[in-house]
Amino acid sequence: MPEATIVLVHGAWADGSSWSLVAPELRRRGLAVLTPPNLLRGVTTDAPYVTSLVSQRVTVPVVLVGHSYGGFVITHAAAGAGDVRALVYVDAFIPDEGETVFQILGGSGSALDVPDPTTVLDLAGYPGAPEGDVEAFLKPATVHGSFAQDLPEADRELIVESQRPITLSANLTPGGEPGWRSLPSWAVVGTEDKVIPPDTQRKMAERAGATITEAPGSHVSMVSHPQVTIDAILAAVEATA
């Protein structure tokens, strides 16, 4: 296996533990793994943070992997993050320049694209927030029915209890020039994803020219069907060595 560091960027309502079934197999294959925190405050903050961290800590070729909102982050973290060879998207947003999360989900049939967001999210203010901004948490029913519906109940309960919120403003912040315009990309599409519907994922992946594979899983298919994500990452490493 070629030398590389795999940088795993989690999405909203998650942390680095969402990669707990992926990272060990990558390490077993001789790859280094880095799982940085995603600040979940907006791509103009979150992407530079990942860029800075990776550029200072990694000196070998890099494959950036993003889940969900983490796709927004890796799309814009690639520039300046060292020797980035490829992007891998897992049940993720693959935005074009100027797009936002809400724009992509609008009209998609997403479980989060509802007239009243408080039916699926709990909203709470936070210290130092810009005027009108709030943090969004998934309601328990949303986790159980739409976010991680194919996981065991104990795992779903852990997500409810430990989720890291994303700010409302992060979903309204557009990105700049996407990294997939200059880098090869791979995409894992969860065919039972109710957060970013499969058709929406495929359209974004096709636009980016990504190599697409499918997992018969929910929005957290890297947990319910980790081998599909592992295989996509290994393919990206091999193809770009």
Side-chain angles (χ1 to χ4, degrees):
M1 180 63 62
E3 185 179 21
T5 293
I6 312 304
V7 179
L8 303 170
V9 180
H10 65 81
W13 308 301
D15 58 24
S17 66
S18 60
W19 300 107
S20 62
L21 299 180
V22 172
E25 179 61 18
L26 299 177
R27 291 194 299 269
R28 192 184 73 78
R29 298 295 188 104
L31 297 165
V33 177
L34 186 64
T35 310
N38 186 350
L39 303 179
L40 305 177
R41 289 295 185 258
V43 68
T44 55
T45 299
D46 305 339
Y49 178 82
V50 171
T51 298
S52 175
L53 186 148
V54 173
S55 66
Q56 294 179 76
R57 296 190 60 192
V58 181
T59 57
V60 298
V62 171
V63 173
L64 293 177
V65 184
H67 170 245
S68 189
Y69 168 75
F72 251 90
V73 175
I74 69 167
T75 294
H76 299 98
D83 184 13
V84 177
R85 300 288 180 88
L87 304 173
V88 180
Y89 297 90
V90 182
D91 307 323
F93 294 100
I94 313 176
D96 203 348
E97 185 170 4
E99 289 183 333
T100 70
V101 168
F102 284 165
Q103 284 176 336
I104 292 170
L105 291 185
S108 70
S110 167
L112 303 184
D113 182 30
V114 293
D116 180 3
T118 63
T119 61
V120 292
L121 302 171
D122 288 326
L123 305 178
Y126 64 95
E131 181 68 27
D133 200 18
V134 293
E135 289 184 326
F137 297 81
L138 294 173
K139 286 183 177 293
T142 308
V143 172
H144 290 293
S146 301
F147 185 78
Q149 70 272 15
D150 58 348
L151 298 189
E153 183 177 4
D155 293 343
R156 287 182 269 124
E157 290 291 356
L158 183 59
I159 292 172
V160 172
E161 297 160 0
S162 64
Q163 60 179 299
R164 290 185 56 222
I166 188 170
T167 61
L168 186 65
S169 60
N171 296 292
L172 294 165
T173 304
E177 176 73 13
W180 50 259
R181 289 200 188 282
S182 57
L183 292 168
S185 59
W186 280 254
V188 175
V189 174
T191 59
E192 305 302 318
D193 195 331
K194 297 183 180 182
V195 175
I196 311 176
D199 286 348
T200 300
Q201 290 185 46
R202 290 189 194 98
K203 288 176 183 177
M204 291 187 291
E206 290 167 358
R207 179 178 64 185
T211 299
I212 301 171
T213 54
E214 294 187 348
S218 68
H219 188 58
V220 289
S221 72
M222 75 288 190
V223 180
S224 59
H225 295 84
Q227 193 60 48
V228 182
T229 290
I230 292 165
D231 289 345
I233 294 170
L234 296 176
V237 173
E238 293 282 7
T240 59

